[in-house]
Each structure stands twice: as C-alpha cells, then as structure tokens.
Amino acid sequence: MNQATCSTTNLQLHHNFRWILCANHMEPVKGFLTRYLKRRLLENEAKAGCRNPELARITDWIPRAWQHLNQFLEAHSSSDVTIGPRLFVSCPMDVDGSQVWFTDLWNYSVVPYLLEAVREGLQVYGRRAAWEDPTQYICHTYPWAGEAVHGGPDTLIRLRPEDVGYEVQTNNSTVGSIKSMSSTQSEVEGDPLLNMLMRLQEAANYTSPHGNDSDSNTNEALNGLGVQSTL
C-alpha cells in the first residue's frame, strides 16, 4: 500500500496512526515561534560574524506580539480561532526588510482576519470583554527604532469597535429633553412681561383670597398685563 496516498481512515485502521492536536496556547506550539526565530537569528549572526542586537530585539518581540493577538482573539471569540505561528515564520532576517514585511502582514493579513474572527465571535458569544485595540500594544512596543521605513507605526491600520459591531450607545432622548428644557427656560427669561405674568400667577396661587374686590383687582391687573404683552 502506498502510504502517500492513504487516507486518514486507512492510516488509523492499518497503521495505528493517530492525529495529535496541538493548541496554539500550549506547548510545543506556544514556544515554537520563539525557538525558530532564535535559531534563524543565530544562523544569520554566524554568517555575518557579529551580533545584531537590533535584529535580536525584533525576533524577540514578534512572538510576544503574536501571543498578544491570540489573547485578544480568545477574549472576544475563542481559542479555536487563534493564529498559528506559520504566519510569522517568514520574517526576514534584516531590520529594514522585517519592518516592511510586518507592515504588509499587519495591514493585509492580520487585521482582516482579526475583524472577521471578532465579528463572528460577537455573533456567537456576544460581547464578552471590553474593547481594546491591539494596535495600541503593537505601537507601544514597536521594536524598530531610528528612521521609519515604509511609514513606521503610523501606517498600521487601527481596529475600531464599530468595524466589528461594537455600537457606541448614546442617550439621545436625555439630550433632547435637556435641550428643550434649556430652550424653554431661555424663552421665559428673555420676555420680561411673560416673566412678570408667571410671578403674578404664582403669587395668586399661593395667596389666599380676602374678598371679591381683591380677586377682581388681581384679575384686572393680569388682564391688563396680558393685553400689554400681546400688543
């Protein structure tokens, strides 16, 4: 039997073959990217005959950035949609080249995948954690120093909460009621005759009547002021 063409079922039945699933957040996958990039760095330094501390800082930062992205995906979706190390193993062993490589990788591969994964996680699991743009961590710990190549961190696409369905809720009704109350109050304060009528009305409501003469005098005064205000 040609093992190259055997299906998984045949391998399991005839060769006692079993798949071993390795999660991205567990060993040996978790530390694979660190070990792989460190080995490539040592090979590059051996060929050059000298150490490259700037490139060493970059190869040390990439696994930490990868783990931060997976933590972001686990917080907003699940561990099933985390990113594997295969996406980052092609990092060039060159300072300028690695910066251009990471910018293109972030804008054209990482960000579209993050948006899609978080959008699906929001539909399946709902809102599980507060929103925090992972680009902030990337820019804060950006390892490429000196003159920016290919735009630097400013060219990295940001992830906005509205892009994945996180709606910013605003209380429009409260704002509208406050505006209407303020406009009504300003109108009353702007008309002195209307303001005087309101005060006389309040005085009439809280003062007990002493007779028909006082009531008639108050009504005549109110009517007179009302006529003047309309004129």
Side-chain angles (χ1 to χ4, degrees), residues 45-230:
E45 291 178 344
K47 291 180 181 180
C50 62
R51 292 189 175 275
N52 193 337
E54 189 173 1
L55 187 59
R57 183 174 63 252
I58 295 171
T59 55
D60 181 66
W61 174 81
I62 290 177
R64 290 188 282 111
W66 167 56
Q67 293 178 7
H68 182 80
L69 294 177
N70 283 340
Q71 292 174 0
F72 172 79
L73 289 172
E74 290 179 357
H76 295 281
S77 185
S78 68
S79 59
D80 297 333
V81 298
T82 53
I83 302 173
R86 182 175 60 88
L87 196 64
F88 301 93
V89 295
S90 59
C91 175
M93 291 294 105
D94 173 67
V95 176
D96 295 339
S98 61
Q99 186 177 14
V100 176
W101 164 82
F102 181 79
T103 302
D104 294 338
L105 181 70
W106 178 267
N107 291 338
Y108 302 114
S109 297
V110 175
V111 170
Y113 179 78
L114 292 178
L115 292 176
E116 185 66 23
V118 174
R119 191 178 295 114
E120 293 180 357
L122 186 62
Q123 295 176 356
V124 176
Y125 304 104
R127 187 168 182 172
R128 303 174 60 184
W131 179 261
E132 183 180 355
D133 185 4
T135 316
Q136 296 179 357
Y137 173 83
I138 299 298
C139 295
H140 181 70
T141 60
Y142 200 68
W144 289 275
E147 185 178 357
V149 179
H150 204 58
D154 295 334
T155 59
L156 299 178
I157 297 177
R158 269 62 176 175
L159 280 77
R160 302 177 303 174
E162 54 267 23
D163 293 337
V164 296
Y166 273 57
E167 298 179 356
V168 180
Q169 298 179 356
T170 56
N171 196 347
N172 295 327
S173 59
T174 304
V175 174
S177 61
I178 293 175
K179 288 183 178 179
S180 62
M181 291 175 62
S182 61
S183 61
T184 304
Q185 185 176 2
S186 61
E187 290 177 358
V188 172
E189 293 177 353
D191 192 350
L193 293 177
L194 185 58
N195 191 12
M196 184 180 296
L197 284 173
M198 295 293 292
R199 291 182 179 179
L200 289 174
Q201 185 66 34
E202 292 178 358
N205 292 333
Y206 288 100
T207 304
S208 59
H210 297 285
N212 294 330
D213 295 337
S214 61
D215 292 340
S216 61
N217 292 333
T218 303
N219 292 330
E220 289 176 358
L222 290 173
N223 292 330
L225 289 174
V227 171
Q228 292 179 3
S229 63
T230 56

